[in-house]
Amino acid sequence: MNLAALRREPRTPLALVRRRRAEASALLSSVPARATIALHGTPLLLLDPERVSRQYRHLRRALPFVGFHYAIKALAHDAVLDVLDEAGSGFDVATGEELAMLTRRGVPASRIIHTHPIKKPAEIAEALAAGVRTFVVDNDVEIEKFRGAPRDTRLLVRLAYRSPHAKSDLSSKFGVGPFEAAHLVEQALAAGISIAGFSYHVGSQLDDPTRFAAAAADTLELMGILERRLNVQFDTLDIGGGFPASYDSESAGIEDVAAVLRPVLEPHARRLDIIAEPGRVMVADAMTLVTSVVGVAERGDGRWYYLDDGLYGSYSNVLTEDVHPLVFSERDLRGRDAANHRWATLGGPTCDSSDVIAREVLLPELQVGDLLVSPTMGAYTTVTATRFNGRPFTPVVVVGRGATTGEIAVASDARRVAIV
Ligand SMILES: Cc1ncc(COP(=O)(O)O)c(C=O)c1O
């Protein structure tokens, strides 16, 4: 299959499935992946860090005046942090633990922003001591926590934009409207705390470029109004994350979002430090899950296949985010049994009835031990997995250019497996 030709195909649902199938097939027949699966068994997450740096370069090309800070909550894996650190990316953290992952590896604090709107005072103190200066607030109690902080501390007020189209509408938990935002800026000024600008998150997996542009335009308008009314000057606009990934249907690409954002943002790029916190779009495509069938049953609603990973494990994105990664069988990828397909339900491995990964999946006749492959499993998968039923975390193994074929080292923490 010619991958370059497939990439030029029109963006139809079928074209996406064909592209993903070609990628999964190429991966599964590669020597490192085969060796890894043979050595390690399943379930297994195969991570290609080169795809992460490719996405970073893509974002930089599309919006060259934006400073990107990878939201490490999406996939906090060493190999991902390595390639992004090397590429000069900034990082976005939400907790002291995420910050420690970066400081341990020597990432300068000047490249780290802390964007959780609610933080323990001790966590703020630790972040300030580490040298982090950019933080997000969305209420007066949080602003008070910064009384006495170093003068170069930069607070961003988080705005809320409702995102009914997004898979995860983050405005229901955090952020304020324009009137409350104005009040918070005034309150901060009165307390001698300066506000550097504003941040927002349009909603995660938001497949609607016009919402990105509208949020940026509305925020810039609010900034202008407040600057005139309060006689202040803001210098930072944080446009958050939200860029979508293509799971089971083609979503807007980086270029589509950038095309509507550029004309809104570019006129302000000289005056403002424009930053972003993408998570999902950087890593979603970089990881592939390999599972195997552990059970087959004929039930009232048809054929069921039970897999060795599920909603409480790597497919936690299905449960928490309502995204639906494609599932291919190795038999299909190898072109076997083409005529013999039927609809099936895919159950996860835990002993409860919620753990159903997908229904109505068209699959060939499968047997215990057959492999299944899900692409687009990089974001919010291993990081949100649990150990329900005592099941271990699915190991992440680095393949592709980020790894050398050789001995596979399995650390005691199963999340940190790498080819060395
Ligand atoms: C504050 C903040 N920044 C960035 C992100 C990353 O968003 P996404 O993965 O949609 O790009 C999130 C996701 O929850 C977030 O809460």
Side-chain angles (χ1 to χ4, degrees):
M1 186 100 46
N2 181 343
L3 278 177
L6 280 177
R7 271 186 214 112
R8 287 196 299 272
E9 277 197 8
R11 296 198 306 177
T12 62
L14 188 60
L16 173 72
V17 173
R18 291 171 71 183
R19 191 173 81 236
R20 294 285 187 229
R21 182 193 294 268
E23 289 168 355
S25 176
L27 178 65
L28 210 59
S29 50
S30 72
V31 173
R34 294 245 50 103
T36 306
I37 296 164
L39 192 85
H40 214 66
T42 63
L44 200 57
L45 284 157
L46 302 174
L47 169 64
D48 182 356
E50 174 58 23
R51 293 190 74 148
V52 179
S53 44
R54 212 186 299 155
Q55 285 298 81
Y56 176 69
R57 289 196 300 271
H58 196 165
L59 282 167
R60 294 280 299 150
R61 267 197 315 276
L63 293 166
F65 49 84
V66 173
F68 289 98
H69 293 71
Y70 168 56
I72 79 171
K73 58 166 73 74
L75 178 58
H77 190 282
D78 284 338
V80 171
L81 303 183
D82 272 344
V83 290
L84 290 175
D85 187 13
E86 219 170 275
S89 173
F91 295 94
D92 163 35
V93 300
T95 63
E97 289 77 8
E98 287 184 349
L99 175 59
M101 286 188 76
L102 296 171
T103 50
R104 268 201 304 272
R105 58 193 309 114
V107 176
S110 57
R111 280 164 54 193
I112 303 173
I113 59 175
H114 193 307
T115 64
H116 198 318
I118 310 288
K119 302 159 283 297
K120 279 186 175 178
E123 202 174 296
I124 295 173
E126 270 170 38
L128 286 170
V132 177
R133 288 295 180 266
T134 304
F135 297 87
V136 167
V137 293
D138 73 352
N139 63 83
D140 50 359
V141 173
E142 200 70 13
I143 289 176
E144 269 302 309
K145 293 178 189 168
F146 286 89
R147 213 181 258 276
R151 286 182 62 79
D152 57 347
T153 303
R154 310 165 50 68
L155 297 190
L156 307 176
V157 172
R158 167 104 170 232
L159 300 169
Y161 290 111
R162 293 312 310 267
S163 293
H165 309 328
K167 284 290 186 181
S168 177
D169 179 358
L170 296 159
S171 70
S172 58
K173 187 170 176 187
F174 300 116
V176 293
F179 295 108
E180 213 176 331
H183 172 66
L184 288 177
V185 175
E186 283 173 327
Q187 205 172 0
L189 284 175
I193 298 167
S194 73
I195 298 291
F198 292 84
S199 82
Y200 56 78
H201 194 299
V202 288
S204 202
Q205 184 66 12
L206 178 63
D207 190 13
D208 181 356
T210 60
R211 299 286 300 165
F212 286 85
D218 288 355
T219 306
L220 285 163
E221 190 184 350
L222 176 70
M223 288 168 85
I225 292 169
L226 293 183
E227 282 179 339
R228 287 189 294 278
R229 194 202 299 163
L230 303 176
N231 195 26
V232 288
Q233 188 88 49
F234 301 116
D235 60 26
T236 303
L237 169 63
D238 177 356
I239 63 171
F243 291 77
S246 294
Y247 289 91
D248 57 345
S249 64
E250 194 81 66
S251 62
I254 287 173
E255 234 354 284
D256 304 312
V257 178
V260 294
L261 270 177
R262 262 194 308 266
V264 179
L265 295 176
E266 204 157 13
H268 302 270
R270 278 174 177 275
R271 180 175 82 86
L272 291 176
D273 190 12
I274 303 176
I275 60 176
E277 316 154 15
R280 183 192 310 274
V281 76
M282 299 269 251
V283 292
D285 286 357
M287 204 149 73
T288 303
L289 175 67
V290 184
T291 59
S292 43
V293 175
V294 294
V296 182
E298 207 59 41
R299 307 216 181 270
D301 56 353
R303 174 63 57 91
W304 280 65
Y305 295 116
Y306 295 85
L307 312 186
D308 53 8
D309 206 343
L311 296 194
Y312 295 98
S314 308
Y315 283 115
S316 55
N317 54 354
V318 176
L319 187 66
T320 59
E321 307 224 286
D322 190 31
V323 295
H324 303 283
L326 295 168
V327 184
F328 298 115
S329 73
E330 187 190 24
R331 283 178 185 274
D332 270 338
L333 295 176
R334 294 192 180 283
R336 293 190 212 131
D337 309 329
N340 200 14
H341 281 66
R342 56 188 295 183
W343 298 103
T345 303
L346 298 180
T350 59
C351 195
D352 80 326
S353 54
S354 321
D355 191 3
V356 178
I357 301 156
R359 297 181 193 273
E360 296 183 0
V361 184
L362 193 59
L363 289 167
E365 286 285 340
L366 298 179
Q367 291 159 15
V368 170
D370 278 351
L371 295 185
L372 292 165
V373 181
S374 272
T376 338
M377 286 292 285
Y380 307 113
T381 52
T382 182
V383 287
T384 40
T386 73
R387 296 209 51 197
F388 180 44
N389 268 197
R391 297 194 59 81
F393 292 120
T394 296
V396 176
V397 180
V398 176
V399 292
R401 283 219 280 140
T404 56
T405 45
E407 187 189 349
I408 295 172
V410 182
S412 54
D413 175 355
R415 286 179 196 233
R416 293 170 194 281
V417 177
I419 295 183
V420 293

